[in-house]
Every structure is written in C-alpha cells, then in structure tokens.
C-alpha cells in the first residue's frame, strides 16, 4: 500500500491494489478508471474506460518495449480482458455503487468500510485470475533486452517513490500526503471544513505507513517478478502456475511481519475513513450520493456497450 488506505474513497476502493505490478496492471488500470476518487463528468468517465485498453497497452509497452510481433497478440489479450470485464464485472460494480449510496447517507463503522473493501478485493482477485493466462503468454515472449528495459523502468519507479516518500522531511511528507488526501476527499464530499482537514492531518500523523518498509517490499516484488519470468521461460509448462503464484505473493507477502503491517494499514484506514465520513454534513453526504450515483449510471451504460 503506497499511502494510508483511508485517506479517501480512492484509498478504500483501490489503494491496496495499486501494489500489483505487471501481472496485475490490466486490473489496476481498470480499477483506477472506475473506482478512483478523481471525480469527473460522466462523459469523461466513459471515455476513460473506453480507452482503458489503450492505456493498459501503453503502460505495459513503457515497461517492456514490445516488438512488432508482440504488439498485436498483446492488444488482442487486453481487448479480450476488457470485453470480459465490461460484461461480467461492471454490472457487479454498479450494484456495489448503488449499495454505497445508501451507506453514504448515514454514519458508518470501520467494520462496514472494511467489509466493502473485502468485496472489492474479491472482485479484483477475480479479475487478476482472468489475466493469468495472457500474462503467462507474455512472460514466455520477453527477451533479455526487454527484461533489462523492465529493470530500468523499475529503477525509475523506485527513484520516484523515494522522492515522494523518503527524501523529504517527515513534516514535508505529511503535508504532501495531506494535500492529496484532502483533494481526493473533496472530490467525493465537496469542500471539507477546517475541522475535517485537521482530522485528516491527525490521521496521517498516526498512520502506521512506513515508507522504508513499503519500499523494501516493492523491491522484493520487483525481484520476484523478474525471477518469475526467468523461471517460466526455463520451464514453459509451468508458466501459468508461476504467474499465479507470483500474484498470490503480491497479496500475501512471504516477508516476515509484512502481512501484519499490511493488515494494520487496512484496519487503520477503515477507521480513518469512517471517522471522516461521520463528520460530514447532510450536504456533503448528498454530494457523495450524487457522485456515486453518477458512477453507477456510467457503469451501467458502459456494461451495456459492446
């Protein structure tokens, strides 16, 4: 988890899943397009989802630099994934959004937030499973130059993480996270008052988020990904299971103590989100209901498109 899970609705819905690396990137982009806190006009949301297959391709290409022979089959796999997701998963997400409208109109508990988080995690796990076979096919096609390209992209990502979360002073990092958290929350609720902003600040201050520990886990996952590709290429018949096992290790780290740390982030985030929500005014809750309803309508329109 890159930041405190409960900094915003986006943290609740997508935060833990941005940990996915290449094997889950198709899922990640899909989840972010639909469930991100970046509230926009309905037409923009629909356009973003309708272009998600292209965004996914270009993200993958930026990491492994596809050759001409790989581009067409990779695009075919991505298109097939999104067609499945549009018809099978979007109606379920729309149903969740409908339920969240009722929750948004009332006080909620941390346990309720975590229960909804678990539902989202189950949906993304299902989508991840749908991506296993195409990711295994891709792993078998990557050559040495492409793996080196991936290492270089990982290194840039690590530098960016360090700049965002490790190099600045502790207070500067808090301020940066606060700015993002407030921005995301206001896209759901509308403007926060001073007391709510201070509540968010205090929640960030006591968050168990540890950038050093998180960075160490990111490095482990990156090495795991590279080793998974090498092992798959050494034994092609095992590629699917190796990719599936890699995905499992993204969700359940073998690093001693990391699972406990991750669970604590989730628990604290659920409590943080519920605490902020329970301070919202009737007007802010009405705004949240409208936002969620707009997303529900968008997903129903998108799921009906072919």
């Amino acid at each position: 988890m890159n930041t405190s899970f409960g900094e915003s609705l986006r943290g609740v819905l997508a935060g833990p899943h941005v940990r996915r690396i290449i094997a889950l990137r198709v899922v990640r982009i899909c989840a972010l397009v639909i469930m991100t806190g970046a509230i926009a006009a309905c037409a923009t949301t629909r356009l973003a989802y309708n272009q998600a297959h292209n965004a996914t391709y270009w993200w993958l290409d930026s990491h492994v630099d596809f050759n001409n022979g790989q581009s067409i089959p990779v695009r075919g796999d991505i298109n097939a994934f999104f067609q499945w997701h549009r018809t099978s998963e979007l109606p379920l997400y729309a149903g969740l959004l409908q339920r969240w409208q009722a929750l948004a109109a009332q006080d909620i508990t941390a346990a309720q937030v975590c229960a909804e988080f678990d539902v989202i995690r189950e949906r993304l796990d299902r989508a991840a499973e749908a991506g296993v076979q195409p990711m295994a096919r891709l792993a078998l096609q990557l050559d040495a130059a492409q793996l080196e390209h991936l290492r270089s992209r990982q290194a840039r990502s690590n530098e960016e993480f360090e700049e965002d979360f490790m190099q600045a002073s502790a207070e500067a990092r808090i301020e940066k996270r606060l700015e993002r958290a407030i921005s995301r929350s206001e896209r759901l609720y509308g403007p926060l008052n001073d007391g709510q902003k201070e509540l968010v600040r205090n929640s960030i201050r006591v968050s168990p988020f540890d950038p050093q520990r998180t960075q160490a886990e990111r490095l482990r996952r990156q090495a795991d990904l590279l080793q998974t590709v090498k092992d798959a290429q050494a034994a092609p018949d095992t590629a699917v299971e190796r990719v599936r096992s890699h995905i499992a290790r993204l969700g359940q780290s073998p690093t001693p103590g990391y699972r406990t740390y991750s669970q604590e982030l989730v628990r604290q985030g659920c409590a943080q989100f519920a605490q902020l929500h329970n301070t919202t005014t009737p007007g802010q809750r009405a705004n949240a209901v409208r936002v969620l309803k707009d997303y529900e309508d968008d997903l129903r329109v998108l799921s009906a498109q072919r």
Side-chain angles (χ1 to χ4, degrees):
M1 187 178 292
N2 291 343
T3 60
S4 173
F5 161 82
E7 285 180 356
S8 66
L9 181 65
R10 179 174 182 263
V12 171
L13 302 181
H17 307 287
V18 299
R19 298 175 300 182
R20 312 299 193 187
I21 311 178
I22 271 196
L24 287 180
R25 186 60 186 185
V26 169
V27 180
R28 177 182 170 186
I29 287 181
C30 181
L32 290 176
V33 165
I34 304 168
M35 311 309 275
T36 184
I39 306 304
C42 296
T44 303
T45 303
R46 296 173 193 174
L47 177 63
Y49 186 83
N50 284 330
Q51 291 301 314
H53 60 292
N54 288 325
T56 301
Y57 174 84
W58 290 115
W59 188 93
L60 287 168
D61 184 57
S62 74
H63 281 69
V64 298
D65 192 20
F66 293 128
N67 60 43
N68 290 338
Q70 293 167 337
S71 295
I72 292 177
V74 168
R75 283 189 179 275
D77 279 337
I78 293 171
N79 290 342
F81 172 86
F82 277 102
Q83 186 57 44
W84 165 81
H85 191 272
R86 182 188 297 271
T87 58
S88 299
E89 294 295 287
L90 289 194
L92 298 175
Y93 279 121
L96 290 175
L97 286 162
Q98 186 177 41
R99 184 168 79 221
W100 294 342
Q101 292 164 48
L103 292 175
Q106 60 190 21
D107 281 0
I108 57 175
T109 66
Q112 285 177 297
V113 176
C114 279
E116 296 305 315
F117 166 76
D118 287 341
V119 173
I120 290 296
R121 179 158 49 190
E122 290 172 3
R123 300 317 319 157
L124 293 183
D125 285 347
R126 183 166 186 258
E129 177 60 28
V132 166
Q133 298 252 1
M135 288 299 109
R137 287 194 290 272
L138 176 58
L140 294 178
Q141 298 174 21
L142 300 178
D143 60 28
Q146 289 174 314
L147 291 179
E148 186 57 37
H149 190 91
L150 175 57
R151 289 189 192 93
S152 297
R153 184 61 185 85
Q154 289 176 337
R156 290 202 304 274
S157 174
N158 293 333
E159 292 173 358
E160 292 166 0
F161 183 91
E162 290 176 1
E163 289 176 2
D164 285 343
F165 297 107
M166 300 176 69
Q167 293 181 356
S169 67
E171 192 60 31
R173 293 198 300 269
I174 288 173
E175 289 302 316
K176 189 168 187 176
R177 291 175 63 194
L178 177 65
E179 181 181 354
R180 292 173 177 172
I182 290 175
S183 176
R184 292 165 182 167
S185 295
E186 289 187 335
R187 288 166 184 159
L188 177 65
Y189 294 116
L192 301 185
N193 61 42
D194 290 343
Q196 290 167 333
K197 291 178 181 179
E198 190 60 26
L199 178 63
V200 175
R201 182 192 298 274
N202 290 337
S203 295
I204 291 173
R205 286 188 183 280
V206 301
S207 168
F209 174 66
D210 181 343
Q212 286 78 21
R213 194 170 193 175
T214 300
Q215 178 71 321
E217 177 64 11
R218 293 177 77 253
L219 294 172
R220 183 203 67 76
R221 291 169 178 172
Q222 291 168 359
D224 190 308
L225 173 62
L226 292 167
Q227 190 61 49
T228 295
V229 173
K230 291 180 181 179
D231 291 345
Q233 292 181 345
D237 290 346
T238 69
V240 170
E241 280 309 311
R242 290 186 185 278
V243 169
R244 184 175 285 117
S245 296
H246 169 68
I247 292 174
R249 291 190 295 273
L250 295 179
Q252 301 289 340
S253 173
T255 302
Y258 194 84
R259 182 179 181 183
T260 300
Y261 164 67
S262 180
Q263 290 173 338
E264 180 57 27
L265 280 175
V266 172
R267 283 193 294 268
Q268 191 270 349
C270 292
Q272 177 185 333
F273 183 81
Q275 188 177 24
L276 175 61
H277 177 80
N278 291 343
T279 70
T280 53
T281 66
Q284 288 172 321
R285 294 185 184 190
N287 193 78
V289 171
R290 285 193 297 271
V291 167
L292 295 170
K293 176 59 175 171
D294 285 346
Y295 269 116
E296 178 198 348
D297 292 344
D298 283 348
L299 298 199
R300 295 197 188 280
V301 170
L302 287 165
S303 66
Q305 296 174 348
R306 297 294 183 267

